[in-house]
């Protein structure tokens, strides 16, 4: 990048000191030694001073400071800004007809993002240059509705230029819809508001090449312990799209409630939902899946089994230890419940659930759960004990793991039956089944990806990796965002307290966790288990920590959180501009007085 000091802003018109609105400005910013410094506006500096977003875009170092996550490839830009006329933005988008709805929705989203940073549209000054946004897909594609898979190339290149005098152009090239969509997202972060001139500005010239370090970049939401409205899920997808997260892992059911409409087994949700209003209908789910697609997000369902079932199954006589008390003897949290793998009638019911999930989600990867099976739960059932003894098995732990493997094999057959003609790749949680020796006996590395939720330093991780499994990392010591807060079954704090700060999330380096097996890491997921969280506190739990997580996965920076802090503080402000209830990180004073808060910043940087 060319660092031009002082900054030259190309203004179409001079600035009028007299603002007609009541929000006359007192402060502006100047870029001084790679830092935005707040200055009192006076007649001397008024022409030169700029808004905080304009300053941050070019003053923060080697990448425009308003982009989050930071691009991983080449970034080259000039420190010149142009005023853009937001009412004169022209889109040249691909014309594949099966994609037209996606492009229309992306265009609308782009315009929404653009105006959301303008506090009051009525005082926007007229004028500015027209902007042409042009998207070019480089590979010749079949005209089909695009589907994100593990093979999707999400890279893009973005070029902004204004060589043509009166028009600014932004050209995005990508292999497919998903890469191009990310490019639009980056472009929207390069359009900033100058509240001194009351206009939207863009970098006059920029050249960005960008692609993700990891292909699986997910958030998990548990909608069973507490229900989340469709609106709040969409808000989550909106924020995910901003930071290029690409997987919404929907832990849709659990033992506490069954909010998933299964038309072929209606009593599951009729008995299992908290109320008839707290059900995700087929319409709701299609809506969410399409909403995700537009935003570059795969919506992947999890049907957790054989543990973590209960409510909804009460008429079926296919579970063990449902609501058993004292629960602590049979499961890890109330209400207890596990499927009974010995009941033959269970498997057609599973097939019905899977069929509807595959029809609705069309997942390229499916999650079959598989965590926290309790041997004492199964062993409390005479029916299960008898079945095992009749087969000539014992009742030792290894026999119960064999029972679990039997369940897993039978359930997988039902998944494959409904997923025809494809065999989807299957995610499973780390558990007893993924431990030595059972992992070797029962799990095929070609079929299963293991989602790791142990601590990041657990030796189990190397055991799984050295066997060749692909993994998704959700080490709870950094990526369980429900940690911290009161316990809910006793006094004290919850099990994985304390609260995990964004700094730890940012520094949770997957390379360190995987060591020599880095190539087997598909990516990671940050999780919200919802015992103590519902839609009213959802945003502040995810954001801005999920943004810190997103930059780790997209850019995998060598630097630690300290060099990201000022940018994240700015990005968090943007989240709130878009009505995401992101948690405050610091007093706003620290946003306005860059790098004056961190305890070591003055030594490190100046
Ligand atoms: C410059 O802008 C004019 C008017 O918008 C257009 O006709 C022309 O093709 C542009 N030239 C280039 C090189 O972009
Ligand atoms: C549940 O099924 C078992 C056989 O598997 C049967 O003996 C029992 O009576 C059934 N219970 C109910 C309530 O239907
Ligand atoms: C299961 O229960 C039986 C008694 O019914 C007991 O002998 C056996 O040890 C138990 N198995 C496990 C793994 O606890
Ligand atoms: C992993 O780290 C935690 C602290 O975060 C520590 O208590 C634990 O002993 C470590 N475990 C191993 C196997 O190193
Ligand atoms: C991080 O460091 C490695 C090795 O030192 C280097 O190859 C890589 O390009 C660096 N990445 C970034 C984003 O600076």
């Amino acid at each position: 990048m060319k660092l031009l000091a002082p900054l030259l802003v190309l203004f179409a018109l001079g600035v009028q000191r007299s603002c007609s609105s009541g929000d006359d400005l007192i402060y502006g910013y100047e870029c001084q030694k790679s830092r935005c410094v707040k200055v009192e506006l006076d007649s001397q500096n008024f022409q030169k001073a700029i808004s905080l977003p304009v300053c941050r875009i070019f003053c923060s170092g080697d990448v425009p400071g308003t982009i989050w996550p930071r691009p991983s490839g080449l970034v080259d830009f000039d420190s010149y800004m142009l005023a853009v006329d937001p009412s004169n933005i022209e889109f040249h988008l691909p014309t594949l007809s099966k994609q037209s709805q996606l492009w229309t929705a992306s265009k609308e989203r782009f315009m929404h993002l653009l105006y959301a940073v303008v506090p009051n549209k009525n005082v926007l000054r007229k004028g500015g240059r027209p902007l042409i946004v042009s998207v070019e897909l480089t590979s010749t594609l079949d005209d089909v509705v695009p589907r994100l898979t593990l093979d999707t190339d999400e890279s893009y290149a973005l070029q902004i230029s204004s060589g043509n005098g009166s028009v600014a152009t932004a050209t995005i090239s990508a292999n497919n819809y998903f890469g191009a969509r990310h490019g639009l997202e980056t472009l929207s972060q390069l359009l900033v508001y100058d509240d001194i001139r009351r206009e939207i500005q863009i970098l006059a010239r920029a050249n960005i090449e960008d692609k993700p370090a990891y292909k699986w970049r997910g958030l998990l939401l548990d909608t069973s312990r507490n229900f989340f409205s469709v609106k709040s899920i969409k808000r989550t997808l909106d924020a995910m799209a901003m930071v290029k997260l690409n997987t919404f892992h929907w832990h849709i059911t659990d033992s506490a409630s069954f909010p998933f409409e299964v038309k072929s087994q209606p009593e599951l949700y009729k008995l299992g939902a908290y109320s008839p209003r707290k059900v995700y209908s087929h319409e709701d789910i299609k809506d969410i899946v399409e909403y995700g697609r537009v935003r570059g997000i795969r919506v992947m369902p999890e049907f957790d089994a054989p543990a973590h079932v209960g409510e909804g199954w009460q008429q079926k006589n296919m579970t063990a230890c449902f609501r058993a008390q004292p629960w602590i003897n049979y499961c890890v949290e109330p209400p207890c419940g596990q499927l009974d793998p010995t009941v033959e009638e269970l498997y057609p019911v599973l097939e019905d659930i899977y069929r509807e999930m595959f029809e609705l989600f069309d997942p390229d990867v499916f999650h079959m759960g598989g965590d926290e099976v309790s041997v004492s739960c199964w062993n409390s059932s005479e029916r299960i004990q008898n079945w095992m003894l009749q087969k000539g098995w014992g009742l030792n732990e290894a026999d119960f793991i064999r029972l679990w493997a039997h369940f897993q094999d039978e359930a997988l057959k039902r998944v494959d039956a409904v997923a025809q003609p494809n065999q989807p790749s299957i995610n499973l949680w780390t558990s007893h089944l993924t431990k030595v020796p059972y992992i070797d006996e029962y799990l095929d590395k070609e079929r299963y990806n293991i989602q790791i939720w142990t601590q990041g330093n657990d030796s189990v991780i190397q055991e799984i990796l050295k066997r060749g499994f692909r993994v998704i990392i959700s080490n709870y010591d950094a990526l369980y965002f429900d940690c911290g807060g009161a316990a809910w079954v006793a006094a004290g704090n919850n099990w994985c307290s304390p609260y995990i700060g964004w700094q730890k999330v940012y520094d949770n380096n997957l390379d360190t966790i995987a060591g020599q097996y880095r190539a087997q890491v598909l990516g990671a997921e940050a999780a919200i288990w919802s015992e103590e969280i519902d839609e009213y506190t959802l945003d502040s739990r995810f954001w801005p920590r999920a943004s810190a997580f997103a930059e780790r996965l997209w850019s995998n920076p060598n630097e630690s959180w300290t060099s990201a802090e000022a940018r994240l503080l700015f990005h968090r402000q943007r989240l709130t501009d878009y009505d995401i209830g992101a948690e405050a990180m610091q007093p706003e004073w620290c946003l306005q007085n860059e790098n004056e808060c961190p305890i070591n910043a003055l030594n490190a940087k100046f």
Side-chain angles (χ1 to χ4, degrees):
M1 163 191 102
K2 277 183 246 162
L3 268 177
L4 302 180
L7 166 84
L8 300 173
V9 180
L10 309 178
F11 299 119
L13 299 162
V15 180
Q16 307 298 308
R17 177 82 222 229
S18 57
C19 300
S20 53
S21 60
D23 56 347
D24 284 7
L25 292 160
I26 306 215
Y27 296 107
Y29 292 82
E30 286 173 4
C31 179
Q32 295 175 10
K33 297 187 191 151
S34 297
R35 192 164 67 122
C36 293
V37 177
K38 188 172 169 182
V39 293
E40 245 178 86
L41 294 173
D42 57 35
S43 50
Q44 249 93 76
N45 66 17
F46 201 77
Q47 292 288 334
K48 207 170 71 174
I50 48 183
S51 72
L52 179 63
V54 173
C55 185
R56 285 296 184 87
I57 211 170
F58 64 81
C59 187
S60 303
D62 57 348
V63 297
T66 56
I67 305 180
W68 190 281
R70 58 175 289 156
S72 63
L74 170 121
V75 177
D76 175 42
F77 63 101
D78 291 343
S79 300
Y80 288 90
M81 305 296 291
L82 300 174
V84 163
D85 177 359
S87 67
N88 200 347
I89 297 182
E90 200 178 300
F91 291 85
H92 298 174
L93 300 170
T95 52
L96 300 167
S97 65
K98 294 253 172 50
Q99 295 190 357
S100 67
Q101 282 189 336
L102 295 181
W103 290 114
T104 304
S106 262
K107 190 167 93 179
E108 278 167 15
R109 174 176 163 79
F110 184 88
M111 292 309 293
H112 170 76
L113 291 174
L114 180 67
Y115 278 111
V117 296
V118 181
N120 180 354
K121 275 190 223 176
N122 299 326
V123 304
L124 256 183
R125 208 182 35 209
K126 298 263 177 298
R129 299 188 191 209
L131 172 66
I132 295 175
V133 177
S134 163
V135 172
E136 292 161 4
L137 298 186
T138 47
S139 60
T140 48
L141 293 164
D142 297 335
D143 190 7
V144 292
V145 176
R147 178 170 180 258
L148 187 76
T149 69
L150 291 173
D151 299 323
T152 303
D153 173 359
E154 294 176 275
S155 66
Y156 70 91
L158 167 64
Q159 234 174 13
I160 301 172
S161 63
S162 48
N164 200 353
S166 63
V167 185
T169 56
T171 307
I172 292 164
S173 25
N175 265 311
N176 54 55
Y177 174 79
F178 298 107
R181 193 219 72 80
H182 293 324
L184 280 173
E185 212 69 47
T186 301
L187 177 60
S188 77
Q189 295 175 358
L190 292 172
L191 285 154
V192 291
Y193 183 61
D194 181 346
D195 57 2
I196 299 173
R197 292 164 193 86
R198 290 178 284 120
E199 63 194 17
I200 289 176
Q201 297 183 4
I202 191 171
L203 279 175
R205 192 194 69 80
N207 215 334
I208 293 174
E209 287 169 15
D210 200 7
K211 66 174 197 273
Y214 290 96
K215 56 178 73 179
W216 191 278
R217 305 181 306 280
L219 297 185
L220 174 149
L221 185 64
D222 160 14
T223 60
S224 170
R225 273 57 175 264
N226 277 304
F227 183 81
F228 293 81
S229 65
V230 171
K231 188 175 164 202
S232 68
I233 291 176
K234 286 183 167 179
R235 201 166 65 238
T236 301
L237 296 173
D238 278 331
M240 287 175 71
M242 279 177 71
V243 297
K244 306 183 176 92
L245 289 171
N246 72 356
T247 301
F248 180 70
H249 173 167
W250 194 347
H251 183 88
I252 191 163
T253 63
D254 209 291
S255 62
S257 80
F258 195 109
F260 171 54
E261 181 189 35
V262 185
K263 288 189 172 166
S264 51
Q265 297 285 343
E267 66 281 12
L268 285 173
Y269 69 91
K270 288 193 170 156
L271 294 171
Y274 283 131
S275 88
R277 284 177 301 110
K278 294 187 173 174
V279 173
Y280 301 106
S281 69
H282 279 207
E283 288 313 304
D284 291 337
I285 291 170
K286 283 181 200 157
D287 189 20
I288 287 169
V289 168
E290 286 314 306
Y291 201 83
R293 192 192 312 275
V294 166
R295 287 157 184 74
I297 299 164
R298 85 157 54 73
V299 179
M300 179 199 65
E302 172 184 356
F303 182 70
D304 198 357
H308 292 282
V309 300
E311 292 291 342
W313 293 81
Q314 38 277 74
Q315 284 184 0
K316 294 207 181 300
N317 197 9
M318 301 177 175
T319 54
C321 80
F322 178 47
R323 299 185 69 160
Q325 291 287 0
W327 60 264
I328 193 105
N329 294 342
Y330 303 96
C331 65
V332 293
E333 73 180 70
C336 295
Q338 262 170 221
L339 295 174
D340 179 343
T342 70
V343 177
E344 287 302 318
E345 296 75 25
L346 164 66
Y347 297 100
V349 178
L350 287 181
E351 188 166 325
D352 285 339
I353 296 171
Y354 296 147
R355 180 181 310 102
E356 295 193 24
M357 281 188 165
F358 273 79
E359 279 166 12
L360 293 167
F361 293 91
D362 187 23
D364 66 314
V365 178
F366 184 60
H367 206 302
M368 293 180 74
D371 59 325
E372 297 182 322
V373 166
S374 154
V375 166
S376 61
C377 170
W378 276 342
N379 203 16
S380 69
S381 157
E382 221 175 296
R383 181 167 68 190
I384 293 175
Q385 283 191 340
N386 289 340
W387 187 91
M388 291 170 69
L389 294 171
Q390 269 164 26
K391 282 205 166 324
W393 302 4
L395 296 175
N396 297 317
E397 182 184 272
D399 299 297
F400 284 98
I401 305 294
R402 187 175 178 188
L403 178 66
W404 183 357
H406 165 77
F407 169 85
Q408 187 56 41
D409 288 347
E410 290 300 313
L412 181 62
K413 278 183 208 158
R414 273 48 182 207
V415 168
D416 285 343
V418 303
Q420 293 293 349
N422 307 310
Q423 284 204 335
S425 154
I426 304 292
N427 293 352
L428 280 184
W429 292 106
T430 43
S431 66
H432 256 69
L433 196 59
T434 62
K435 284 198 172 131
V436 181
Y438 307 122
I439 187 167
D440 296 322
E441 230 169 307
Y442 299 125
L443 296 176
D444 173 4
K445 71 174 173 11
E446 304 305 327
R447 242 12 252 289
Y448 292 106
N449 312 310
I450 309 299
Q451 182 162 12
I452 287 163
W453 66 280
T454 63
Q455 292 193 75
N457 62 0
D458 195 317
S459 57
V460 136
I461 300 173
Q462 295 297 311
E463 292 294 326
I464 291 168
L465 285 167
K466 82 180 177 209
R467 287 171 164 74
F469 284 89
R470 297 193 296 179
V471 302
I472 292 163
I473 293 179
S474 298
N475 54 311
Y476 76 77
D477 51 323
L479 299 180
Y480 272 25
F481 288 180
D482 48 307
C483 298
W488 63 280
V489 291
N493 287 344
N494 70 14
W495 71 276
C496 57
S497 285
Y499 175 92
I500 299 159
W502 72 269
Q503 299 92 333
K504 186 163 187 187
V505 176
Y506 192 88
D507 286 354
N508 188 54
N509 194 321
L510 308 188
D511 292 342
T512 311
I513 294 174
Q516 60 177 304
Y517 302 108
R518 182 191 189 284
Q520 285 160 242
V521 179
L522 293 173
E525 282 181 15
I528 284 188
W529 299 103
S530 69
E531 286 89 349
E532 302 179 88
I533 297 163
D534 68 7
E535 63 182 296
Y536 302 101
T537 50
L538 174 66
D539 290 15
S540 60
R541 282 287 176 152
F542 264 142
W543 312 101
R545 289 186 296 173
S547 301
F549 169 70
E551 183 154 292
R552 173 54 55 201
L553 290 178
W554 181 276
S555 331
N556 199 21
N558 287 332
E559 296 80 15
S560 77
W561 63 270
T562 50
S563 29
E565 182 170 6
R567 283 186 306 111
L568 186 61
L569 206 51
F570 181 84
H571 164 76
R572 183 265 165 187
Q573 189 67 33
R574 272 219 154 180
L575 287 169
T576 60
D577 287 343
Y578 303 138
D579 289 329
I580 310 296
E583 190 171 52
M585 297 162 60
Q586 295 171 10
E588 191 166 351
W589 190 87
C590 304
L591 174 66
Q592 295 188 349
N593 295 275
E594 185 178 357
N595 264 319
E596 299 219 24
C597 292
I599 207 159
N600 290 319
L602 294 177
N603 299 336
K605 235 185 151 179
F606 308 110

